[in-house]
Amino acid sequence: MHSELFYIIALMNIKGVGSILARHLIDIFGSAEAVFKANATELNNIPRIGTTILEQRGNNALFELAEKELQFIEQHNIRALVYGDSDYPKRLLECDDAPALLYCLGNADLNAKHIVGIVGTRSCTQYGRENVEKLVRGLKEALPDIVIVSGLALGIDITSHVAALNEHATTFGVVAHGLDQIYPSIHKSTARQMIADGGAILTEYSSGTRPERGNFLARNRIIAGLCDALVVAESKDKGGSLVTASIALDYNREVFAFPGRTTDDRSLGCNRLIRLNRAGLITCADDLLEAMGWAHTSHNDRAIQQSIPFEEENLTPNSRLILDTLRDRGDLRLSQLSELTGIDTATLMEELLDLELSDRLRATPSGLYQLR
């Protein structure tokens, strides 16, 4: 008798079935196994899907690949993380296009309290490397439990992983191929060290999958989804890092960037993100910690005492309503605040500015307002 995992792997091997469609089918039929055992009428009732499944689900090659993958998983102690299971990364559950299945090599906690993604150009400069090293060092000093996630690629990615290892911080690498290889191969020793030091290598691709261009673009969403904040350390005017930043914003993640010289082509992307208010400008770990509201997490009891809620007797009725709404509903955008409070946009913006200047709330780079 085959396991549900067997059928999920087989389902993912059907041509034209990606993570979104696989999850949709499993929701409809209750399990991947049920998708294969559903009758033709049931499948044909699903627009533009039934024919695809019907034509391929009886192909023995699907089951042979699934059996081979199960053996590979068992042989190499790989964790198969199925969407919705208790050990699946909770942050990814917030993402509409989250992988239906993740393969994880390593025993890392993928639901750590603080996860920062760091991405950037493969042809990074010394300036970019030094900023990453300084950032990781500062984050580790402030938050001993910090986790760094990146893509194990050349340049900024590998700099981030190595910096984390040097600071004894946990680090995850999300790759664009199966776990039977590491690309580029010169990073094999780093990958082994990451796993040995409590980190992990993650992928949505089964063994034998080559690192094709489209896979890199797809894996960027996993990096963005896994983190609380994404840092673009250095980027040209176009590239995968900017795609990752855009995805992170869509996921309501905080995005930050290091500024660079206007004459440096490898800072054009970062400078543009900052100029368009799509990324918060940071120069060090303290900037990120403050922007994320993590600064108090690392402070002593005295700092916590100083963060006791302010006295509110001098607030205007509108300001008090804004703060009460944020306490009740969590982080909100301007339009949401206006709708919930009934305050017109012009008045609301004035009140929000006063509250920001008095350090009662903050506006995030992604346009959310949150209490300090």
Side-chain angles (χ1 to χ4, degrees):
M1 182 176 180
H2 293 299
S3 66
E4 175 65 6
L5 178 58
F6 171 88
Y7 287 104
I8 291 175
I9 296 171
L11 181 62
M12 294 298 297
N13 275 304
I14 292 179
K15 187 176 180 180
V17 175
S19 286
I20 295 176
L21 180 52
R23 285 166 40 203
H24 179 57
L25 289 166
I26 291 170
D27 285 342
I28 291 174
F29 291 99
S31 69
E33 180 179 4
V35 175
F36 282 94
K37 295 184 177 179
N39 61 49
T41 302
E42 291 175 312
L43 285 171
N44 279 324
N45 285 334
I46 306 173
R48 299 184 302 277
I49 294 176
T51 302
T52 299
I53 306 299
L54 281 172
E55 288 177 351
Q56 298 182 63
R57 66 174 181 169
N59 187 344
N60 285 332
L62 294 175
F63 305 116
E64 291 172 1
L65 286 170
E67 190 64 48
K68 180 180 177 181
E69 194 63 19
L70 285 178
Q71 292 173 4
F72 179 80
I73 289 170
E74 183 177 355
Q75 180 182 354
H76 297 282
N77 296 313
I78 293 169
R79 287 190 289 163
L81 310 174
V82 177
Y83 182 90
D85 284 358
S86 59
D87 55 352
Y88 189 88
K90 291 181 174 59
R91 290 172 178 83
L92 287 180
L93 295 176
E94 304 167 4
C95 308
D96 291 340
D97 54 355
L101 176 63
L102 272 175
Y103 299 100
C104 177
L105 188 56
N107 296 315
D109 177 12
L110 303 180
N111 293 306
K113 188 174 182 181
H114 301 106
I115 302 182
V116 172
I118 304 177
V119 296
T121 179
R122 286 172 167 79
S123 57
C124 64
T125 66
Q126 185 62 25
Y127 169 78
R129 285 190 290 270
E130 289 176 354
N131 276 334
V132 168
E133 291 164 356
K134 182 176 67 172
L135 173 66
V136 173
R137 187 181 310 116
L139 290 174
K140 178 61 178 179
E141 288 175 358
L143 298 171
D145 66 346
I146 192 70
V147 172
I148 303 299
V149 59
S150 194
L152 207 67
L154 295 167
I156 291 297
D157 284 18
I158 196 63
T159 300
S160 305
H161 294 305
V162 172
L165 291 173
N166 289 340
E167 299 299 329
H168 304 289
T170 301
T171 181
F172 306 154
V174 185
V175 296
H177 49 73
L179 292 179
D180 56 326
Q181 61 189 297
I182 290 294
Y183 177 85
S185 59
I186 58 173
H187 294 165
K188 284 182 181 179
S189 60
T190 301
R192 291 191 188 100
Q193 190 62 50
M194 289 163 63
I195 295 167
D197 286 6
I201 306 299
L202 299 166
T203 186
E204 64 178 320
Y205 299 105
S206 58
S207 61
T209 304
R210 308 300 300 171
E212 299 174 356
R213 178 177 173 79
N215 296 353
F216 287 96
L217 294 174
R219 73 88 189 268
N220 290 345
R221 80 189 196 286
I222 302 176
I223 296 174
L226 277 173
C227 66
D228 303 298
L230 181 80
V231 176
V232 183
E234 206 172 26
S235 174
K236 296 181 180 181
D237 201 34
K238 295 181 180 179
S241 301
L242 300 184
V243 173
T244 309
S246 180
I247 296 170
L249 289 170
D250 288 342
Y251 289 163
N252 288 322
R253 304 298 191 254
E254 300 298 331
V255 176
F256 302 96
F258 282 105
R261 294 175 300 182
T262 58
T263 55
D264 193 335
D265 70 331
R266 280 164 287 191
S267 288
L268 290 176
C270 290
N271 291 343
R272 182 156 61 91
L273 285 172
I274 295 167
R275 186 177 73 253
L276 297 177
N277 199 31
R278 291 177 65 78
L281 186 156
I282 60 169
T283 62
C284 60
D286 284 345
D287 292 345
L288 187 148
L289 292 166
E290 181 65 28
M292 292 297 296
W294 291 348
H296 296 307
T297 305
S298 61
H299 290 174
N300 55 26
D301 290 341
R302 182 174 172 222
I304 295 172
Q305 181 67 25
Q306 291 172 343
S307 69
I308 290 174
F310 50 86
E311 296 181 3
E312 297 187 2
E313 61 269 18
N314 295 323
L315 292 176
T316 66
N318 279 341
S319 291
R320 189 171 287 110
L321 176 58
I322 292 167
L323 295 173
D324 287 343
T325 302
L326 289 171
R327 289 193 189 98
D328 291 342
R329 305 297 289 270
D331 302 349
L332 296 169
R333 299 188 182 280
L334 179 67
S335 59
Q336 295 171 313
L337 272 170
S338 181
E339 181 180 352
L340 290 169
T341 61
I343 303 172
D344 67 89
T345 302
T347 302
L348 183 59
M349 290 179 70
E350 291 180 7
E351 296 284 356
L352 289 169
L353 179 59
D354 288 341
L355 290 169
E356 280 192 81
L357 293 174
S358 60
D359 208 30
R360 287 165 164 84
L361 56 75
R362 62 180 287 269
T364 72
S366 56
L368 291 169
Y369 288 89
Q370 58 184 211
L371 296 173
R372 283 198 178 275

